[in-house]
Amino acid sequence: NSCDLKAYKQKVEETLREYICHFSKQCNELPDIMDVDVIRAFISGTTNETLVHELGCYKPRTTRELLDFTTSHASGKEAVHAIF
């Protein structure tokens, strides 16, 4: 149920991309969960403050929008780290 998803939190050593991957796998195990519950669980579980702020501005409405946006954010963050 959605409580299982809400209980999953990003670990200190876990990268954003790893968190997205693990979170996505957990979503796939809960086929009847509503998009709004997925979005809330993701936001409450991540430790990335910048991403939470951007999600607040972007306001994804579906799980697909959430995962696309967060994956893009993670890719951008990795690119910045690679250059600097």
Side-chain angles (χ1 to χ4, degrees):
N1 62 30
S2 64
C3 292
D4 295 332
L5 195 57
K6 290 176 187 174
Y8 184 71
K9 304 292 183 190
Q10 185 177 2
K11 298 172 183 73
V12 175
E13 71 282 353
E14 188 174 37
T15 67
L16 179 57
R17 186 171 298 281
E18 290 169 336
Y19 174 68
I20 293 167
C21 182
H22 294 146
F23 186 88
S24 178
K25 286 179 183 177
Q26 289 218 312
C27 286
N28 290 336
E29 294 175 6
L30 302 169
D32 295 331
I33 192 166
M34 294 176 53
D35 288 326
V36 67
D37 291 330
V38 172
I39 294 165
R40 286 181 185 150
F42 183 92
I43 290 171
S44 70
T46 187
T47 59
N48 190 305
E49 291 180 24
T50 304
L51 178 58
V52 170
H53 173 74
E54 290 179 11
L55 286 169
C57 295
Y58 176 67
K59 295 180 175 53
R61 291 175 287 150
T62 66
T63 299
R64 181 45 141 190
E65 287 178 6
L66 171 75
L67 295 176
D68 286 347
F69 185 85
T70 57
T71 300
S72 177
H73 179 87
S75 296
K77 188 174 178 177
E78 289 170 355
V80 168
H81 285 296
I83 293 170
F84 300 100

